[in-house]
Amino acid sequence: MPNVFLSTRPGVVLSGLLLTLVASPAEAQLGRLRKMGADAVKRATEDKLAAKKDSTTAAAAKSTGAASGSTSAKPADTKLTTDRVALVVASLQPLIAEAQKRRELALVTREFSARTATSTACGDSVVKAFNEKPAVSLSDKTIAELTRLQDQATAVQRRLNAARQRNDQRATLFLQDTVNVLLKRSAVMTMGGKCTIDFTPAPIIAAQAAVYEAREASARGAVSDANDTFEPADVVKEQLTRQQYGLIRERIALWALKQEDPTLKTGGQGVFTAEEEAALAANAVDIKRLTPYFKGESLRWSSWSDLKDW
């Protein structure tokens, strides 16, 4: 019998998107946040200069992320007041549900990876033993179970073929995983082994399907909701420029992380006046609710491109 187990090890090939879901150390995030904060200060300075120029120059300033036509009315200062902190924190609350999904997916992925490593090691030992002594005596009960597994695999394969024909990628991924697991279980049993081989958890397959669907939408020239930039409510845009919002958001995240580890070096943007400390403390309950997502990069942003212009 060919070494089928080694050539089709149980597990899941994670996409680049899923691999980034594993939480990174808070220190690694701080460097990114500090750089973004410095960039925001630079843009804010440019905004103030642009406010003194004519409409043509103001239009050029918009390409740096300025709020069109509103720079002079909304100075790009980033002082943290109680109202501003409350406004930004409230605007982030609707994102918690999606952040929680990403956080749970990261946990499921880590747990499944650990189980996969165990089943792979078990399969390797079964294959090794079989190669050394290929003669295996199977009981009637085992033969009956093998027959059942093979019948199941045949039935699922028919459904898989149909899903492929109708280009149903989500169903294809789920059904392909089912066929793979059934065949791997049969292979182990045929070689006289006993290994636990789990189906890939639904959240992982759903995430893989979402990645595929986003790529397909992009290939068609369609706008994918999964890649949409974030736009706070109108009440936020009425009171803050894009730069103000972005930098205040970063400073809140820095403060939140610093509450958990006061020794963290957060740079100039992580230094707060007594008045700002009071404003942050007044919103501490809601900020604390966001902290796990800041820390785990579930509620994350990688550049200013995550914010729509306003």
Side-chain angles (χ1 to χ4, degrees):
M1 175 180 291
N3 191 344
V4 294
F5 201 92
L6 286 178
S7 62
T8 56
R9 289 186 174 183
V12 56
V13 178
L14 300 180
S15 68
L17 174 65
L18 293 183
L19 290 175
T20 63
L21 295 174
V22 178
S24 62
E27 289 81 356
Q29 299 174 51
L30 289 175
R32 174 174 54 80
L33 292 174
R34 284 199 296 269
K35 182 180 183 302
M36 292 167 65
D39 291 343
V41 171
K42 179 181 177 182
R43 280 191 294 272
T45 301
E46 292 171 350
D47 290 344
K48 290 180 180 179
L49 294 174
K52 299 178 182 180
K53 298 181 180 180
D54 59 22
S55 58
T56 302
T57 305
K62 184 178 179 182
S63 67
T64 69
S68 177
S70 63
T71 305
S72 58
K74 301 175 184 176
D77 70 280
T78 58
K79 181 180 179 181
L80 301 183
T81 65
T82 301
D83 289 343
R84 281 181 173 179
V85 174
L87 191 65
V88 173
V89 169
S91 75
L92 294 173
Q93 297 301 313
L95 301 180
I96 288 182
E98 286 302 315
Q100 178 64 19
K101 289 180 182 178
R102 287 191 289 271
R103 192 180 182 205
E104 291 174 352
L105 177 59
L107 177 60
V108 169
T109 300
R110 286 194 295 271
E111 292 177 344
F112 182 62
S113 294
R115 295 200 306 272
T116 296
T118 299
S119 64
T120 297
C122 178
D124 288 345
S125 64
V126 170
V127 170
K128 182 179 178 181
F130 181 77
N131 287 339
E132 292 174 353
K133 188 179 179 180
V136 176
S137 178
L138 301 178
S139 67
D140 291 342
K141 182 179 180 180
T142 299
I143 293 174
E145 179 63 14
L146 276 171
T147 301
R148 186 184 69 82
L149 288 174
Q150 291 167 2
D151 288 345
Q152 280 186 319
T154 299
V156 176
Q157 184 66 55
R158 286 196 292 267
R159 294 171 58 195
L160 173 59
N161 294 339
R164 285 172 172 165
Q165 288 180 355
R166 64 176 183 271
N167 198 30
D168 186 339
Q169 181 64 20
R170 189 168 295 254
T172 295
L173 288 172
F174 276 101
L175 292 169
Q176 183 65 69
D177 181 70
T178 301
V179 170
N180 289 345
V181 171
L182 293 175
L183 293 179
K184 290 168 186 175
R185 288 178 177 178
S186 295
V188 170
M189 195 174 296
T190 300
M191 290 182 282
K194 293 182 179 180
C195 296
T196 299
I197 303 172
D198 295 327
F199 295 101
T200 303
I204 294 179
I205 294 182
Q208 291 174 327
V211 171
Y212 175 85
E213 290 162 0
R215 288 173 179 168
E216 287 288 292
S218 177
R220 295 194 304 271
V223 177
S224 172
D225 292 338
N227 294 321
D228 269 357
T229 49
F230 175 58
E231 184 174 21
D234 288 342
V235 65
V236 177
K237 296 186 291 183
E238 289 169 2
Q239 299 184 48
L240 299 173
T241 65
R242 181 171 178 262
Q243 289 73 28
Q244 285 177 303
Y245 180 89
L247 186 51
I248 289 172
R249 181 182 65 174
E250 315 305 334
R251 298 191 72 203
I252 291 172
L254 289 174
W255 184 83
L257 294 174
K258 201 169 183 179
Q259 300 313 294
E260 292 201 341
D261 184 358
T263 66
L264 287 178
K265 295 181 180 180
T266 55
Q269 295 305 315
V271 176
F272 308 95
T273 66
E275 184 179 353
E276 288 179 324
E277 286 283 357
L280 290 159
N283 293 279
V285 173
D286 290 330
I287 293 175
K288 187 174 182 179
R289 197 174 295 127
L290 291 166
T291 301
Y293 307 112
F294 288 142
K295 188 174 181 180
E297 288 198 20
S298 297
L299 186 66
R300 65 190 186 278
W301 47 88
S302 58
S303 71
W304 287 98
S305 63
D306 81 299
L307 292 177
K308 287 185 177 179
D309 271 332
W310 64 82

